[in-house]
Every structure is written in C-alpha cells, then in structure tokens.
Amino acid sequence: MDGVRLSDQTLQRLRAVFPVELQGDAAALLVQECGTNLPFHQNANSEDLERIRFAALKLSRGTIDGLCEAIQVAQNDWRDLLVDADFAEDVDAHKQWVP
C-alpha cells in the first residue's frame, strides 16, 4: 500500500469496528484515501492523521460504504468530519474514543 501507514492505535480501532473480512479493505482505504492527500496534511505522519482516521472509523458504522462516505467528507473538508464525530472541540477527544 502506498501512503502513510496506519498507527498502532488506528489499527486497534479499525479491528474493533470492522469485521475481520473487511479489515484489509478498510485499512487500504484509510492509507490510500485518508492521508497526505487531505488538505494541510501533505507532510503528516501516521500519528498526525489519527484524529481524522479515528473520526472516519467512528462514523463508518463498520461498513465500507460508511467509511467511503466519511473519507469523502474528510477529502472535502476534514474539519466537518471532526465535527460529525464530536472530535472538533477538544484536540484529544479522539484519544478517548475506544469502540
């Protein structure tokens, strides 16, 4: 996979949200579509992207379609995704989310 790898914390949450048979596809989507291609994240590392990737996972409802929808929101304006996931007001709120 090209792109910024998933952090250990992102992988942990991905495994909690998605069934085993969808985890590979979900991981690939996050790496390829929800990374340094996002506005103002060109030089981000895996930890820098956690807040946005956690939000996408939270809003995905454990489905690939849900994840694609969340990623699309992030690609348009990732701040909207953070608001939708209740991660906007506290920069550490995503760290408290454990599915």
Side-chain angles (χ1 to χ4, degrees):
M1 285 186 274
D2 295 321
V4 176
R5 70 171 182 81
L6 302 180
S7 69
D8 292 340
Q9 293 298 315
T10 304
L11 281 171
Q12 178 183 24
R13 285 160 177 81
L14 182 145
R15 290 179 184 130
V17 171
F18 280 90
V20 172
E21 64 273 10
L22 297 178
Q23 290 175 8
D25 291 339
L29 279 169
L30 287 174
V31 168
Q32 295 168 1
E33 303 296 333
C34 191
T36 56
N37 61 320
L38 299 175
F40 307 108
H41 286 81
Q42 292 79 5
N43 297 314
N45 63 37
S46 59
E47 287 75 24
D48 296 335
L49 294 166
E50 283 183 346
R51 191 172 176 207
I52 295 169
R53 286 175 169 174
F54 286 15
L57 288 169
K58 182 178 181 182
L59 297 172
S60 73
R61 303 173 312 278
T63 69
I64 295 298
D65 285 345
L67 184 60
C68 287
E69 290 172 17
I71 290 171
Q72 186 173 19
V73 171
Q75 290 173 340
N76 288 328
D77 191 334
W78 50 267
R79 296 168 298 180
D80 289 337
L81 184 69
L82 297 180
V83 169
D84 293 346
D86 295 323
F87 293 166
E89 299 211 14
D90 178 356
V91 296
D92 291 320
H94 67 288
K95 294 177 183 177
Q96 307 308 313
W97 176 68
V98 179

